[in-house]
Amino acid sequence: MTLRPSPLADTAPPHIRIDRLTFDYGGARPAVDALSFDIAKGEFIGLLGPSGCGKSTTLRMFAGLLAPTSGQIMIGGQDIVSRPPWERNLGLVFQSYALFPHMTVEQNVAFGLRLRKVSKEDQRARVAEALRAVRLESYGSRWPSELSGGQQQRVAIARAIVIEPEILLLDEPLSNLDARLRDEMRFEIRDIQTRTGITTLFVTHDQQEALTMCDRIAVMNAGRLEQIGTPTDVYDRAATPFVANFIGRANNLASRLSLVDGQPVLTCDGQTLPQPLPADVPENSATGNSVAAMVRPHAIRLRPPAPDQISGTVIRRVFVGSMIEIEIRLDGGQTLIAELRPNSPDAALAHLDARVTVDWLPSDMRLFAS
Amino acid sequence: MTRLLSILGRAYVIAIFGFIFLPMLIILVISFSADSYLSFPPSGWSLKWYSTVLGNATFMAGLKNSAIIALIVAVLSLLLGLPAAYALVRMEFPGRTLIRNLILAPLVLPAMMLGLGLLMVFTPAGLVATYPGLVLAHLVMTLPFSVRILQTTLSNLGTDLEEAAMTLGARPLQTFMQITLPRLMPGVIASSSIAAILSFDEIVLSLFIVGPRLQTLPVAIYRYVDERTDPMVAVLAVLLIAISLAIVLVVERSVGFAKAFGR
Ligand SMILES: Nc1ncnc2c1ncn2[C@@H]1O[C@H](COP(=O)(O)OP(=O)(O)OP(=O)(O)O)[C@@H](O)[C@H]1O
Ligand SMILES: [Mg+2]
């Protein structure tokens, strides 16, 4: 295996740095493939990607439950890869919560403190504080089996944060909860994290969860990092077609790049896309190359039909409460989904079988070489 | 029609149970007989055969031997079976799947053949008619069961709890003692109890290994029945059943048999 150069900046070491982290179960390709990114102290990072993209594998390497095939995990400038799990001081919250069923809530939370030989008095105080942080102060003497799913999960979080871990690792902690509890817990987890200031790595395959909770999101696909950035970054400035389509809904138009009077112009099946093009036309897309143009459904505006501009026919119109969703078949045959506000002028144009021209702001379009 | 079927079904189940339990019931009745020969129904009632058994030195020595051996076998079956089960469930090594699938295979062999084999090995080793010899012979029978039961408990347990403990700072031994072992208790109780029952009731293997100086209760009963039949036999049978039943109840109470064996 050739060692790729590290894509990370060579400045002062950040709080946590993972550098070309790789894990190979022996399948067709590594489950985690040269993953690199930095995490600042106190940051809440989301690890987002479809099922099987290597999120849990990454988390297990952090926790020391899997030894990386290659690569480093640096905390405070020190590589922790060779340390066994019990010497890492990391808090891991499993999807299954993994509470010890033969211990009360209090004993569960005190487990890590007891192993650290914290005095009985301090144990009591810190357990009480952790239970207060997750709003379960009066549940200390219950057994895990006497708690609801959401409460069990909060105990698992209390047990992980009470040891004041270097980093809190959460593996899809909300996926076993019903929709309402999930919304509440999103809030609570983020709130607990803000109050304690513990650096957190939050694994999820739910883009909504990642967008609403995280300081930054690392989007993974097939073991590789596609993009890491703030929720706005990954949503509005997707770095790859995968990110654009995984996060939020997206229309992808197969288009062709050409030069008209020295200016780059995009056409889709002979019709011109809204001008001017965004500044970051893919570098390698020479004239005549095909380009994928990505536009979010909510960014699309409708105009009365205009010649040469990209136009089509409304073939479906569905009222979904807060908006009207329409599907447009472009004259070239490709289709577009648009979300319009009810009672807007755009919505008035969009009756079934109407001919319309579509438009959007240049800043709402992302171009990818294809 | 459905009614008829349901009545027939119930009758069938009752018949099966009768077939299994009627002989036991008859034995129980005969054990309280005042007659000096086996007859049903007895012509009078007494506890004299119970006191005869309790006063019989051969049977009491056999009972003591069987109890001691069953206890040792139960403990050793656990101590030897647990690491084996742990390795089979948690560790990767060549041949693992093969061993897992063949773990119950020794039980398919005719006990007669096993006994003969053991005798041929034990005679030169001086193990015949000794506690260690009988314990070893019984372990051949009980270990596959113990390993199988503990294996089932361990794989049902999963690794999440242990991994959680380790990330919280528990070393492997601490993890095993504080997390794995307490969670394994149902399997531990089940496997030890079943090992004890199997050992206590074992006769074929024991027949090869016992001698005049050391014999087990089932062997003593077998020898006695060979010569004579009187209500004392019924009393002995009742005692054997009662002891096994007591152990079964312990298991059923703590885990349930189906759960202990898995599948
Ligand atoms: N024990 C294993 N042996 C072999 N392959 C494995 C093993 N565990 C996971 N994999 C493979 O590695 C890849 C990454 O798995 P991982 O569990 O990290 O995915 P994930 O992103 O956590 O998915 P999910 O969202 O479904 O939990 C998957 O393709 C999976 O099939
Ligand atoms: Mg996973």
Side-chain angles (χ1 to χ4, degrees):
Chain A
M1 192 168 70
T2 57
L3 205 60
R4 267 164 286 201
S6 171
L8 299 168
D10 216 6
T11 50
H15 181 45
I16 292 162
R17 157 166 292 186
I18 63 178
D19 190 3
R20 286 162 290 179
L21 193 63
T22 301
F23 189 87
D24 198 343
Y25 284 107
R29 50 170 184 73
V32 174
D33 194 357
L35 198 64
S36 302
F37 58 87
D38 289 348
I39 305 175
K41 205 171 181 74
E43 236 185 336
F44 193 108
I45 296 272
L47 205 53
L48 175 67
S51 185
C53 73
K55 306 178 298 284
S56 296
T57 305
T58 305
L59 220 58
R60 294 173 66 78
M61 285 192 278
F62 257 97
L65 301 171
L66 281 178
T69 307
S70 64
Q72 292 181 316
I73 303 172
M74 317 276 286
I75 297 186
Q78 293 212 328
D79 190 2
I80 61 160
V81 158
S82 57
R83 274 190 228 161
W86 52 91
E87 284 171 13
R88 291 197 180 192
N89 203 36
L90 304 175
L92 180 59
V93 175
F94 288 76
Q95 187 176 333
S96 61
Y97 317 142
L99 296 182
F100 307 132
H102 57 295
M103 299 184 192
T104 62
V105 167
E106 240 157 25
Q107 289 166 339
N108 263 280
V109 178
F111 186 77
L113 297 176
R114 193 153 56 75
L115 292 164
R116 282 166 179 70
K117 307 234 164 19
V118 173
S119 76
K120 278 266 177 291
E121 251 164 77
D122 289 356
Q123 274 187 36
R124 238 191 312 273
R126 284 170 67 178
V127 167
E129 189 190 323
L131 286 178
R132 208 172 315 121
V134 298
R135 289 178 231 283
L136 286 176
E137 46 273 74
S138 57
Y139 289 78
S141 53
R142 294 246 196 137
W143 297 96
S145 58
E146 300 169 340
L147 300 178
S148 72
Q151 290 167 336
Q152 289 185 29
Q153 150 141 75
R154 279 183 282 169
V155 175
I157 293 173
R159 186 176 69 178
I161 62 175
V162 77
I163 60 173
E164 293 171 2
E166 206 79 55
I167 171 164
L168 181 62
L169 307 167
L170 303 164
D171 195 354
E172 309 209 20
L174 303 181
S175 58
N176 283 350
L177 306 179
D178 64 48
R180 244 196 55 208
L181 193 54
R182 191 155 53 214
D183 287 344
E184 277 174 38
M185 285 306 298
R186 270 186 204 172
F187 237 51
E188 289 223 7
I189 289 179
R190 190 58 232 240
D191 189 45
I192 293 165
Q193 193 270 342
T194 312
R195 275 183 284 137
T196 54
I198 298 174
T199 311
T200 300
L201 194 57
F202 180 91
V203 164
T204 178
H205 61 248
D206 181 335
Q207 40 125 345
Q208 204 64 36
E209 219 165 86
L211 289 173
T212 51
M213 293 175 72
C214 302
D215 293 327
R216 285 194 302 152
I217 301 172
V219 185
M220 282 180 75
N221 179 31
R224 293 170 162 278
L225 182 69
E226 292 273 333
Q227 181 175 10
I228 181 164
T230 63
T232 332
D233 278 342
V234 293
Y235 188 80
D236 287 340
R237 289 175 291 281
T240 65
F242 175 84
V243 175
N245 288 287
F246 189 71
I247 299 184
R249 304 174 73 186
N251 293 297
N252 298 284
L253 293 177
S255 324
R256 195 160 289 278
L257 192 67
S258 54
L259 281 180
V260 176
D261 302 333
Q263 289 298 314
V265 170
L266 263 184
T267 53
C268 173
D269 301 316
Q271 298 181 318
T272 313
L273 295 192
Q275 297 288 333
L277 296 185
D280 55 346
V281 174
E283 297 156 15
N284 59 343
S285 46
T287 322
N289 271 4
S290 51
V291 167
M294 190 283 285
V295 194
R296 304 257 179 229
H298 64 76
I300 292 178
R301 301 282 162 266
L302 300 186
R303 308 271 178 257
D308 291 341
Q309 299 299 304
I310 183 160
S311 309
T313 311
V314 177
I315 57 170
R316 192 166 59 86
R317 177 188 163 113
V318 190
F319 177 64
V320 285
S322 57
M323 62 185 186
I324 291 170
E325 187 183 300
I326 63 164
E327 188 172 353
I328 300 164
R329 184 186 303 285
L330 299 175
D331 296 340
Q334 301 190 54
T335 57
L336 270 183
I337 305 281
E339 296 167 0
L340 310 172
R341 263 184 307 119
N343 307 320
S344 63
D346 297 56
L349 286 174
H351 48 88
L352 212 56
D353 295 330
R355 277 197 56 77
V356 288
T357 285
V358 290
D359 191 15
W360 53 78
L361 297 174
S363 57
D364 283 333
M365 175 164 61
R366 302 283 301 158
L367 301 179
F368 302 104
S370 57
Chain B
M1 186 61 196
T2 16
R3 236 182 95 83
L4 183 67
L5 271 183
S6 113
I7 290 171
L8 279 177
R10 198 171 309 166
Y12 181 69
V13 171
I14 290 171
I16 293 275
F17 268 86
F19 181 71
I20 296 170
F21 288 111
L22 218 54
M24 287 200 219
L25 202 65
I26 292 174
I27 285 170
L28 186 66
V29 170
I30 294 179
S31 75
F32 294 105
S33 167
D35 302 338
S36 42
Y37 45 86
L38 279 178
S39 69
F40 190 82
S43 59
W45 306 101
S46 85
L47 285 173
K48 75 172 182 186
W49 292 109
Y50 278 87
S51 59
T52 317
V53 167
L54 294 178
N56 182 308
T58 317
F59 288 142
M60 285 304 107
L63 178 64
K64 191 189 90 188
N65 289 338
S66 281
I68 291 172
I69 290 166
L71 199 69
I72 297 173
V73 166
V75 171
L76 285 183
S77 235
L78 176 66
L79 292 184
L80 298 174
L82 191 50
Y86 194 89
L88 283 172
V89 175
R90 293 294 164 76
M91 294 172 185
E92 293 280 351
F93 54 87
R96 183 176 87 146
T97 320
L98 188 71
I99 297 176
R100 259 157 94 149
N101 293 335
L102 290 183
I103 195 81
L104 291 178
L107 306 178
V108 180
L109 294 177
M112 201 66 104
M113 209 177 100
L114 273 178
L116 200 62
L118 287 172
L119 185 65
M120 283 161 70
V121 178
F122 282 8
T123 310
L127 286 169
V128 174
T130 61
Y131 277 120
L134 277 162
V135 166
L136 277 177
H138 287 187
L139 279 174
V140 173
M141 292 292 294
T142 61
L143 262 178
F145 280 107
S146 293
V147 172
R148 180 57 190 271
I149 292 168
L150 292 166
Q151 203 180 300
T152 306
T153 327
L154 254 174
S155 38
N156 288 345
L157 195 59
T159 51
D160 278 11
L161 295 183
E162 290 168 26
E163 289 176 348
M166 285 201 273
T167 61
L168 288 167
R171 293 166 170 283
L173 187 63
Q174 289 172 317
T175 306
F176 184 81
M177 296 306 291
Q178 299 183 32
I179 306 298
T180 318
L181 200 53
R183 301 302 302 150
L184 277 183
M185 267 345 257
V188 166
I189 293 172
S191 73
S192 311
S193 313
I194 283 161
I197 293 180
L198 287 174
S199 162
F200 195 79
D201 285 344
E202 172 54 42
I203 174 124
V204 180
L205 289 180
S206 301
L207 272 174
F208 282 90
I209 314 292
V210 294
R213 280 171 295 121
L214 184 67
Q215 69 175 348
T216 63
L217 184 59
V219 172
I221 297 174
Y222 175 80
R223 295 251 159 93
Y224 182 81
V225 174
D226 214 23
E227 293 162 13
R228 280 191 295 165
T229 45
D230 55 36
M232 187 142 96
V233 177
V235 171
L236 288 163
V238 168
L239 285 182
L240 278 185
I241 293 171
I243 292 170
S244 297
L245 206 60
I247 302 177
V248 169
L249 281 178
V250 169
V251 179
E252 189 54 42
R253 264 299 151 86
S254 53
V255 269
F257 256 101
K259 228 170 155 186
F261 274 98
R263 256 168 288 176

